[in-house]
Amino acid sequence: MTAPQNPLLNDRDVDFLLYEVLDAPRLCALPHFADHARDTFDLYLQSCRRFAREVLFPTYRPVDEAPPRFQDGAISVHPLLKQVFQPMVDLGVLTAARPAAVGGQQLPLVVATLAGAYLMAANLSACGYLGLTTGAAHLIEAFGDDALKTTFMTRMYAGEWTGTMALTEPQAGSSLADVQARATPTDAGHYLVRGSKIFISGGDHDLTENIVHLTLARIDGAPPGIKGVSLFAVPKRRIEEGRLVPNDVEVAGMIHKIGWRGLPSLSLSFGEKDDCHGYLVGRPHQGVAYMFQMMNEARIMVGVNAAATASVAYHEALGYALTRRQGRPLGAKDPTAPQVPILEHADVRRMLLRQKAIVEGSLALVATTARCADLAAHAAGAEERERAARLLDLLTPIAKTFPAEKGFEANALAIQVHGGYGYSSEHLPEAWLRDQKLNTIHEGTTGIQSLDLLGRKVVAGGGAALAALGEEIQQAIGRAARAGVEPAWGERLAASLALLGELTAHLGGAGMRGDVEGMLRHSADYLELTAVIVVAWQWLAMAAAAREGLARGAPPAGFYEGKLCAAQYWFATELPRVEALAALCRSGEDSYARMQPAWF
């Protein structure tokens, strides 16, 4: 029996999230989305699904097997990427959620996000070029002047040029306060930029004629630290007398990554010949504040990619388990009886159900986060926009981290389901595992996200974001009760939510007393327990929608029963971990805090 074709994502899952859990068409009552309806949502979704499955997915293995080449100072990418780049631009991926005023489709981000997940599951590297370009162009859209928008943003949104975020430097890593790249003002209005950047994804290629680097640098005489960093648009080639000329941006080296192998990660050198022109974006010394717009968008994008990478591996494992025959049921007496598909073995079902719980919980999480972004930007009232923005801030580090950390576990389980075949390059799960690992690292490691969540997001505004989260969870508990969901699930979630509030107050109090180290010592554990609760919220909302679907007789009943089984799994195996994690955070256990370097 041949394994079914990998769907990348389950269409029924996506429709369920959009139309039964989140009620995405309700966004069309807002003026910004008034030109849309479910029909236009479905049209874009179907276009992305078809392109992802028929065109993009077949390119994944060859692109993974033949990474970009660095030769004669330039990067050449796989020819297949050149074949799919323009069709992806034509599909509208670059501007799906951008306003019509800049050439966009003005779709809700929640719709664009789930549509884009198909493309990410098909070939994440190919999507990377476009995602980075959209983020960079959006920075110019938000903060650049009209000249920058005309010169750079318009061409980037059109797919004529691509964009990057050039933040990291060899000596600074994730510490943007230690950026050393310099920018010297000139009488001509531009700046001369000098410095080095590293790990710049898509920093050079031969897909388009130009690349625009949104670059952090210090204007001469700027104050030290974060407050002295400015943002510049630095093109690979600049326009002079109507033509493109080199702009003194050189590739200094290529990182040989174990995954994401179609998207080059580079070391770049700016201004070795003192002729690198940079153009100030916005006001001086506001670069990090501006860049956080792109960074937060990128963090959500990483979460979507992580969910998609776990999803494609899950569906590959499911297809394999349906068709791979091995062994017989426990208690079978006849050794001549036909072997059964391994899906009939309880431990294989355990591994697949855990993958399902992680994958579908992750997709719900990133979709909910994207919907918050829609409301934060476009809700009718200022109060509703502010509340959605607080929720968005709170959910962003969780939406980035949970799909990446738990997605890596799901990817490992996909290999395990394949057994010995999974531990080979002849099958794809090993490649997706390599890809997935980067998602816990780039755009802020899990440790950085945990510090952001506990040190900033949950205590900001006197805990207003956490209060808003509590309101959302209580609404889900009410919906679940009305739908006839197992009452104990709502009760357990409410108890976990109360425990989270108490723990946050305890840790926040330590910080206010000056014990910041003690407050943040177990920030990674705090992030994990918060994520478990947030994903339990997602599963309760999905369980409620599933019960509602069963009550109205919507087909297929098995789809809804599967949702209820996965929800049951989460409440039985994951939510009980919250109490132990909370106790650990509260205890101040200091083994690794007091561990001295010489003791390792």
Side-chain angles (χ1 to χ4, degrees):
M1 182 178 176
T2 304
Q5 182 180 0
N6 193 317
L8 311 176
L9 277 70
N10 184 326
D11 294 350
R12 187 68 183 84
D13 283 338
V14 172
D15 291 347
F16 174 71
L17 284 174
L18 285 174
Y19 304 128
E20 298 180 60
V21 179
L22 296 175
D23 191 14
R26 190 171 61 181
L27 292 169
C28 300
L30 301 175
H32 187 77
F33 303 119
D35 290 340
H36 286 290
R38 177 167 178 169
D39 288 348
T40 57
F41 296 171
D42 286 343
L43 181 63
Y44 184 64
L45 283 162
Q46 290 294 349
S47 297
C48 288
R49 288 164 174 163
R50 184 168 53 251
F51 183 82
R53 289 166 179 157
E54 297 176 6
V55 180
L56 202 53
F57 189 38
T59 69
Y60 175 75
R61 186 191 288 273
V63 167
D64 178 70
E65 292 176 344
R69 291 179 292 110
F70 179 32
Q71 189 173 9
D72 299 327
I75 299 293
S76 299
V77 302
H78 198 289
L80 286 174
L81 290 175
K82 300 175 185 179
Q83 294 178 24
V84 300
F85 180 81
Q86 189 58 47
M88 290 179 73
V89 173
D90 296 339
L91 191 61
V93 175
L94 282 168
T95 56
R98 300 312 312 138
V102 297
Q105 299 182 58
Q106 209 159 304
L107 282 164
L109 185 62
V110 64
V111 176
T113 293
L114 289 175
Y118 285 90
L119 304 172
M120 293 177 180
N123 189 328
L124 72 175
S125 294
C127 294
Y129 294 97
L130 284 86
L132 288 164
T133 300
T134 298
H138 188 198
L139 272 179
I140 298 173
E141 177 191 338
F143 305 114
D145 59 26
D146 289 342
L148 291 180
K149 292 176 183 178
T150 300
T151 302
F152 298 120
M153 181 198 75
T154 302
R155 291 179 170 96
M156 293 162 75
Y157 277 151
E160 297 172 15
W161 296 355
T162 61
T164 76
M165 51 195 302
L167 286 66
T168 307
E169 297 181 4
Q171 83 291 341
S174 299
S175 178
L176 299 182
D178 295 312
V179 163
Q180 293 180 359
R182 309 300 304 181
T184 301
T186 69
D187 293 339
H190 63 265
Y191 290 73
L192 292 177
V193 178
R194 305 173 188 84
S196 298
K197 300 289 181 177
I198 196 169
F199 300 124
I200 308 306
S201 296
D204 194 58
H205 54 74
D206 51 357
L207 293 173
T208 58
E209 64 178 358
N210 206 5
I211 304 164
V212 183
H213 306 290
L214 273 291
T215 305
L216 293 181
R218 295 182 183 280
I219 298 172
D220 291 346
I226 291 290
K227 295 180 179 180
V229 179
S230 299
L231 179 64
F232 298 86
V234 183
K236 176 182 177 180
R237 299 181 176 95
R238 64 179 185 262
I239 299 175
E240 286 190 0
E241 298 179 353
R243 62 188 182 91
L244 289 173
V245 300
N247 191 40
D248 197 12
V249 178
E250 302 293 339
V251 180
M254 183 172 75
I255 313 300
H256 297 90
K257 300 184 294 182
I258 63 171
W260 287 71
R261 296 181 62 174
L263 181 67
S265 181
L266 306 176
S267 299
L268 298 180
S269 178
F270 297 84
E272 287 188 352
K273 302 173 184 174
D274 289 327
D275 193 34
C276 179
H277 293 203
Y279 307 90
L280 182 66
V281 178
R283 293 181 289 122
H285 316 319
Q286 300 298 311
V288 174
Y290 295 156
M291 186 58 82
F292 260 104
Q293 172 184 283
M294 185 174 182
M295 290 165 64
N296 284 329
E297 291 170 348
R299 287 170 176 175
I300 296 171
M301 183 173 70
V302 167
V304 180
N305 188 86
T309 302
S311 175
V312 66
Y314 161 61
H315 287 293
E316 191 80 0
L318 178 59
Y320 181 82
L322 284 165
T323 57
R324 169 62 172 167
R325 291 182 173 272
Q326 183 175 310
R328 294 164 185 84
L330 290 175
K333 304 293 186 181
D334 183 1
T336 66
Q339 293 184 317
V340 298
I342 62 172
L343 186 59
E344 295 192 23
H345 299 310
D347 193 58
V348 173
R349 291 199 299 274
R350 175 190 64 82
M351 292 187 285
L352 288 168
L353 183 56
R354 183 158 184 79
Q355 289 177 74
K356 177 182 175 70
I358 291 170
V359 167
E360 295 172 17
S362 295
L363 287 170
L365 171 59
V366 296
T368 298
T369 305
R371 184 176 179 275
C372 286
D374 286 323
L375 293 173
H378 306 298
E383 185 176 341
E384 186 179 2
R385 290 194 298 272
E386 291 169 5
R387 181 179 183 277
R390 288 194 292 268
L391 269 172
L392 175 62
D393 284 345
L394 178 67
L395 291 176
T396 294
I398 302 169
K400 191 275 184 188
T401 300
F402 176 86
E405 290 285 0
K406 293 301 180 182
F408 186 76
E409 180 184 345
N411 280 95
L413 286 170
I415 289 178
Q416 190 74 12
V417 169
H418 280 77
Y421 292 105
Y423 196 67
S424 71
S425 58
E426 284 74 30
H427 290 257
L428 285 170
E430 65 83 23
W432 291 317
L433 184 76
R434 289 188 278 108
D435 291 338
Q436 185 69 278
K437 188 58 221 164
L438 183 59
N439 292 321
T440 67
I441 300 170
H442 63 171
E443 306 309 333
T445 63
T446 298
I448 289 173
Q449 302 303 322
S450 72
L451 294 172
D452 181 44
L453 177 67
L454 179 54
R456 297 185 185 92
K457 300 300 175 58
V458 297
V459 295
L466 198 60
L469 175 65
E471 293 166 2
E472 293 291 318
I473 291 176
Q474 291 295 344
Q475 289 175 21
I477 291 172
R479 178 182 178 183
R482 292 188 298 273
V485 172
E486 170 62 47
W489 297 356
E491 294 167 5
R492 292 174 198 162
L493 181 54
S496 295
L497 177 63
L499 185 59
L500 175 63
E502 295 166 5
L503 175 64
T504 304
H506 173 79
L507 296 175
M512 291 183 67
R513 292 190 299 272
D515 186 13
V516 177
E517 193 277 334
M519 173 189 177
L520 299 175
R521 183 177 298 150
H522 287 280
S523 61
D525 298 309
Y526 181 90
L527 171 57
E528 184 170 0
L529 78 87
T530 307
V532 169
I533 292 171
V534 166
V535 175
W537 162 41
Q538 298 303 304
W539 272 114
L540 191 67
M542 288 188 280
R547 279 291 174 206
E548 292 163 359
L550 288 169
R552 65 176 182 269
F559 171 82
Y560 294 118
E561 293 291 357
K563 292 292 183 189
L564 291 170
C565 267
Q568 175 187 335
Y569 174 86
W570 199 260
F571 279 91
T573 66
E574 288 298 301
L575 199 59
R577 298 177 55 237
V578 166
E579 192 169 343
L581 287 167
L584 182 62
C585 293
R586 179 183 283 271
S587 72
E589 197 281 322
D590 67 347
S591 55
Y592 57 82
R594 70 184 188 86
M595 187 75 176
Q596 299 298 310
W599 300 353
F600 283 99

